[in-house]
């Protein structure tokens, strides 16, 4: 009975292996993707990213720089934003914005619109610390480190002239390491700083899905930079994601609406549509040439939106 059973099992095993899908790998041993990566095909929004600051007593301003650069990398990886270093200089640092209660953002809004900035991202490290617990006895001690960071991120929409997003994100990490009892102080300090940098990055990365959700609700807005003859030059082009044949609507600048009792800014009205422009060519890395598609009386400085 057994001698007949073994060949049958061998046949079943062989047939199953033939039916199973073949795992294809490239020269480096990587598996082929079953689905292609999704690439962003819309128009990218221009972001002014202000340098974060660290108000906790640990980690120094190095953590502010780490948070800023990590957020810059993560935003650029999405393919949905152009992080413009020149535009950030209009507003200064995050610390300046906080110290002035956000009034500087309101003051610089008109100039930022001229630069084509869609929104401003700024923030701070509220808390950063490392706690350690080690054995009391022994030449070689087992030490467990617990690190945490709390980062606040805010987004100011230039076009609506108001803050549209604020969130506080926590990052945690713990690590087991063995250290000699008489380890030098410099290596301990570097070790703690590396942990603080890591949890700061963890906190920042958590914000990306929420920032994407917020950005999707905002309209992309560009400007008419120059008009020469029949050519209308737009301050966005190939790098921003515009395509030849895109039709843009030209709108006037909205009017600020204030509360008659408190004097506080309520919002900005929608501008009036003056006409449409068709993109016919690109100029430079990120500018385009359009011609009047419908309507008229287009002027330099007018706003353009996707039709």
């Amino acid at each position: 009975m057994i001698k007949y059973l073994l060949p049958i099992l061998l046949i079943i095993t062989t047939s199953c292996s033939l039916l199973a899908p073949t795992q294809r790998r490239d020269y480096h041993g990587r598996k082929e993707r079953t689905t292609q990566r999704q690439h962003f095909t819309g128009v990218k929004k221009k972001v002014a990213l202000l340098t974060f600051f660290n108000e906790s007593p640990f980690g120094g301003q190095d953590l502010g720089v780490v948070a800023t650069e990590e957020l810059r990398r993560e935003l650029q990886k999405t393919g949905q934003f152009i992080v413009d270093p020149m535009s950030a200089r209009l507003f200064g640092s995050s610390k300046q914005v906080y110290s002035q209660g956000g009034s500087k953002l309101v003051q610089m809004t008109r100039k930022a619109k001229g630069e084509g900035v869609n929104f401003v991202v700024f923030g701070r490290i509220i808390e950063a610390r490392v706690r350690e617990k080690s054995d009391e006895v022994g030449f070689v001690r087992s030490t467990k480190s617990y690190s945490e960071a709390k980062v606040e991120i805010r987004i100011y929409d230039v076009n609506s002239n108001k803050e549209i997003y604020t969130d506080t994100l926590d990052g945690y990490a713990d690590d087991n390491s063995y250290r000699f009892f008489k380890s030098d102080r410099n290596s301990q300090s570097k070790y703690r700083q590396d942990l603080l940098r890591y949890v700061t990055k963890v906190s920042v990365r958590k914000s990306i899905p929420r920032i994407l959700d917020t950005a999707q609700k905002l309209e992309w807005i560009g400007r008419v930079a120059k008009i020469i003859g029949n050519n209308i030059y737009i301050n966005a082009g190939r790098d921003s994601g515009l395509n030849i044949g895109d039709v843009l609507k030209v709108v006037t600048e909205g009017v600020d609406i204030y509360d008659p009792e408190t004097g506080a800014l309520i919002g900005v009205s929608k501008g009036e549509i003056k006409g449409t422009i068709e993109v016919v060519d690109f100029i430079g890395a990120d500018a385009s040439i359009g011609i009047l598609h419908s309507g008229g009386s287009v002027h330099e400085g007018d706003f353009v939106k996707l039709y």
Side-chain angles (χ1 to χ4, degrees):
M1 181 69 180
I2 295 176
K3 68 178 182 179
Y4 294 112
L5 185 60
L6 289 175
I8 293 171
L9 290 173
L10 181 61
I11 292 170
I12 293 172
T13 305
T14 305
S15 61
C16 288
S17 63
L18 291 173
L19 292 173
T22 304
Q23 292 289 343
R24 297 183 179 275
R25 297 179 182 269
D26 63 12
Y27 177 76
H28 300 286
R30 293 187 293 258
K31 292 181 181 179
E32 290 184 351
R33 286 183 173 272
T34 54
T35 57
Q36 294 296 319
R37 281 181 176 171
Q38 298 296 317
H39 295 284
F40 180 69
T41 56
V43 180
K44 300 175 184 177
K45 297 180 175 70
K46 186 179 286 189
V47 179
L49 176 60
L50 312 189
T51 303
F52 283 37
F53 71 101
N54 180 18
E55 65 178 18
S56 79
F58 306 106
Q61 183 50 28
D62 173 62
L63 294 187
V65 175
V66 167
T68 307
E69 293 309 310
E70 186 67 17
L71 186 54
R72 186 192 310 278
R73 280 191 294 270
E74 291 296 321
L75 289 175
Q76 289 174 336
K77 278 167 59 177
T78 66
Q80 299 190 27
F81 307 99
I82 294 176
V83 183
D84 185 11
M86 298 301 294
S87 299
R89 297 178 185 177
L90 293 173
F91 301 95
S93 66
S94 293
K95 191 170 186 177
Q96 291 174 316
V97 172
Y98 275 92
S99 64
Q100 297 178 19
S103 61
K104 188 171 185 178
L105 292 173
V106 178
Q107 295 168 6
M108 299 303 296
T109 293
R110 186 174 295 275
K111 195 168 183 180
K113 287 180 180 179
E115 296 289 330
V117 176
N118 291 114
F119 55 86
V120 183
V121 181
F122 59 102
R124 58 181 173 170
I125 292 94
I126 299 174
E127 186 177 340
R129 62 177 178 172
V130 177
R131 294 180 292 110
E132 294 182 343
K133 184 178 181 181
S134 59
D135 296 337
E136 296 296 329
V137 182
F139 184 71
V140 178
R141 293 185 176 182
S142 173
T143 303
K144 190 166 187 178
S145 300
Y146 303 87
S147 54
E148 57 183 309
K150 187 176 290 184
V151 179
E152 182 180 74
I153 297 177
R154 295 172 177 260
I155 297 178
Y156 181 84
D157 180 21
V158 170
N159 301 302
S160 65
N161 209 10
K162 64 181 180 181
E163 191 173 299
I164 57 170
Y165 171 90
T166 180
D167 202 358
T168 302
L169 306 117
D170 299 318
Y172 300 95
D174 61 76
D175 184 30
N176 283 320
S177 63
Y178 287 88
R179 301 187 197 160
F180 284 98
F181 174 65
K182 292 185 178 179
S183 59
D184 63 281
R185 184 170 295 179
N186 289 334
S187 64
Q188 287 185 13
S189 176
K190 183 180 183 302
Y191 175 76
R192 292 192 187 96
Q193 189 69 14
D194 287 343
L195 283 176
L196 290 175
R197 287 173 179 167
Y198 175 75
V199 290
T200 299
K201 291 179 180 180
V202 170
S203 301
V204 168
R205 289 172 196 153
K206 287 183 178 180
S207 70
I208 298 302
R210 303 174 194 182
I211 291 176
L212 290 176
D213 288 341
T214 302
Q216 287 173 0
K217 300 171 186 175
L218 303 177
E219 281 189 296
W220 170 83
I221 298 180
R223 297 293 292 270
V224 174
K226 192 77 175 176
I227 299 176
I228 303 176
N230 294 326
N231 291 335
I232 302 170
Y233 293 85
I234 310 299
N235 67 344
R238 186 181 286 107
D239 285 356
S240 290
L242 287 178
N243 296 309
I244 302 296
D246 280 345
V247 176
L248 310 175
K249 57 185 177 183
V250 184
V251 296
T252 59
E253 184 175 4
V255 178
D256 293 343
I257 308 298
Y258 295 92
D259 188 306
E261 294 184 0
T262 64
L265 179 67
I266 298 174
V268 180
S269 68
K270 292 185 177 180
E272 297 180 359
I273 299 176
K274 303 173 68 175
T276 58
I277 297 171
E278 181 180 352
V279 177
V280 296
D281 200 1
F282 295 122
I283 178 172
D286 197 31
S288 56
I289 303 173
I291 57 173
L292 193 63
H293 187 265
S294 66
S297 67
V298 177
H299 299 100
E300 293 178 5
D302 281 345
F303 294 91
V304 293
K305 301 180 180 180
L306 292 174
Y307 188 73

